[in-house]
Amino acid sequence: MVEFAGWSMPVQYTDSHISSHMHTRTHCSLFDVSHMLQTKVHGKDQVKFMESLVVADIAELKDNQGTLSLFTNDKGGIMDDLIVTKTDQGYLYVVSNAGCADKDSAHMKAKLSEFKAAGFDVDLEFLDDALIAVQGPSMSRVLQEGVKDNLKNLPFMFSALTSAFGVPCRVTRCGYTGEDGVEISVPSSRVVELTERLLSNPEVKLSGLGARDSLRLEAGLCLYGNDIDETTTPVEATLVWTIGKRRRQTRDFPGADIIVPQIKNKTQRKRVGLVSTGPPVRQHTPILSTDGKVIGEVTSGCPSPCLKKNVAMGYVDSAFSKNGTQIQVEVRKKAVPATISKMPFVPTNYYTG
């Protein structure tokens, strides 16, 4: 167990980190992600309110569809990443990171006061429900036994209110592993019941933070505080796809006057993937050109259990960001050859219907 964003979290259970990682890729694993901040945004001006904080086009979402988005600040930096779902129950359902929970809630409350003072109809409800993630290729087979709705009708980034094995819940097809998976929001009083029912299937094993980190890294997914933060813009982070096309024109999100010109004019640095062999590459490892000049820094890195080589992501001078570029990483004061690589490192298996 380790301290994580004010919570006590399991790094691993009885299985080793590698075993948990591979079980998720071949069967399915259950992660306790109840530390994430869950919020409902109510009121007829909910979309306008949310769009004043994030870069996504929330208005264009279909009923029960979600999108990954970013809270940005006035300097164009990323305050957090989050998923916003437009439900057909008349509210927006928002899931953001535990590490930013205090910052995110204060940020939303400040904007709420501003909106209410201007006469807009909007309200926030912070939930104390639990959240569990079931991730892996056999997830749909396991969960289908306990839900009446056909999971074939729930594609990636769509959400449904339902019940699982008799427990009322919200099931959202998303996750942080690159595999087909769901996140299930469930009343805290019944999460143990649902978890035990899921674990009664031998396909399902508990998995901790260790495997969660290596799985998301193989999938090329950012970890807030490591790979993106308030000093990083969405363009530098290669997250331009999160910015709605309409929003690029209206430029009515925080930092738009900095972010939108960067889309056309490029940036001096860029988030890239890289692979290497030999000693593991970790966060803060310097990235060097082949002639030994420092051109960037690793933000996340680990040995890949699937690929049997080191995978990492970091920021480099844009001139070195092309896939296939030969570079070096400085591990224990030695320069080790590495290659800029496209992400995800391991192909994703999201269910798109």
Side-chain angles (χ1 to χ4, degrees):
M1 303 291 285
V2 294
E3 191 279 332
F4 182 81
W7 296 71
S8 185
M9 297 288 293
V11 175
Q12 65 184 65
Y13 291 87
T14 47
D15 290 339
S16 71
H17 165 198
I18 305 292
S19 171
S20 283
H21 180 111
M22 297 311 292
H23 186 83
T24 312
R25 289 272 183 252
T26 53
H27 300 280
C28 75
S29 297
L30 190 149
F31 300 81
D32 179 5
V33 291
S34 300
H35 56 301
M36 306 281 273
L37 178 64
Q38 299 178 74
T39 311
K40 287 180 182 177
V41 186
H42 300 276
K44 68 175 171 32
D45 295 311
Q46 56 186 264
V47 171
K48 187 179 179 67
F49 170 79
M50 209 65 214
E51 287 191 350
S52 74
L53 296 166
V54 303
V55 300
D57 188 340
I58 308 294
E60 72 156 6
L61 292 174
K62 297 173 186 158
D63 278 353
N64 301 312
Q65 184 182 18
T67 184
L68 179 74
S69 193
L70 308 167
F71 284 124
T72 48
N73 61 29
D74 292 337
K75 293 179 180 171
I78 300 169
M79 295 179 69
D80 198 8
D81 57 318
L82 64 154
I83 290 177
V84 184
T85 301
K86 187 183 192 180
T87 75
D88 62 1
Q89 289 85 43
Y91 57 83
L92 299 176
Y93 171 60
V94 179
V95 180
S96 53
N97 287 306
C100 299
D102 293 343
K103 178 174 79 171
D104 290 352
S105 53
H107 185 51
M108 287 192 277
K109 283 176 186 170
K111 184 59 78 171
L112 181 70
S113 300
E114 198 182 297
F115 260 60
K116 280 185 173 291
F120 290 107
D121 174 25
V122 64
D123 262 303
L124 292 173
E125 179 189 354
F126 296 103
L127 308 183
D128 59 4
D129 290 351
L131 193 66
I132 55 175
V134 187
Q135 301 281 303
S138 58
M139 176 284 296
S140 60
R141 203 165 66 246
V142 168
L143 189 60
Q144 190 63 74
E145 288 175 21
V147 296
K148 287 185 182 141
D149 314 74
N150 189 341
L151 291 175
K152 286 198 167 95
N153 299 328
L154 189 74
F156 183 58
M157 295 308 285
F158 278 79
S159 187
L161 274 186
T162 183
S163 68
F165 300 101
V167 178
C169 58
R170 172 175 291 283
V171 174
T172 306
R173 202 147 197 169
C174 65
Y176 198 44
T177 62
E179 295 298 332
D180 183 19
V182 292
E183 288 182 356
I184 307 174
S185 180
V186 55
S188 298
S189 59
R190 302 195 67 183
V191 67
V192 172
E193 175 190 342
L194 179 56
T195 298
E196 286 177 343
R197 183 65 187 77
L198 288 163
L199 288 171
S200 69
N201 188 319
E203 280 288 308
V204 188
K205 289 188 174 184
L206 285 165
S207 193
L209 287 180
R212 188 167 158 81
D213 193 53
S214 53
L215 288 158
R216 69 92 191 169
L217 188 46
E218 285 186 343
L221 301 172
C222 294
L223 173 63
Y224 191 85
N226 279 41
D227 312 302
I228 47 176
D229 58 29
E230 293 198 29
T231 68
T232 319
T233 71
V235 185
E236 290 174 325
T238 59
L239 293 172
V240 172
W241 61 271
T242 63
I243 308 170
K245 287 194 175 122
R246 172 178 63 84
R247 309 299 307 280
R248 296 177 203 190
Q249 261 111 48
T250 53
R251 293 195 180 197
D252 55 354
F253 57 86
D257 289 341
I258 291 163
I259 294 166
V260 174
Q262 283 186 353
I263 297 172
K264 285 181 185 164
N265 304 331
K266 307 290 189 275
T267 53
Q268 289 184 320
R269 62 179 195 141
K270 193 174 169 189
R271 180 174 66 95
V272 295
L274 52 111
V275 294
S276 68
T277 52
V281 178
R282 303 290 187 194
Q283 188 184 18
H284 302 311
T285 299
I287 303 173
L288 316 171
S289 60
T290 49
D291 59 4
K293 181 178 154 229
V294 176
I295 54 166
E297 185 178 86
V298 169
T299 53
S300 290
C302 72
S304 161
C306 289
L307 302 177
K308 306 289 188 275
K309 54 188 170 187
N310 302 312
V311 296
M313 66 172 84
Y315 287 81
V316 296
D317 298 346
S318 292
F320 295 88
S321 63
K322 195 175 171 195
N323 291 333
T325 302
Q326 296 303 305
I327 48 151
Q328 302 181 102
V329 281
E330 189 183 297
V331 186
R332 299 185 202 129
K333 305 209 169 156
K334 284 188 182 170
V336 177
T339 307
I340 301 291
S341 168
K342 72 180 174 70
M343 295 184 282
F345 302 104
V346 172
T348 52
N349 292 307
Y350 305 127
Y351 174 74
T352 51

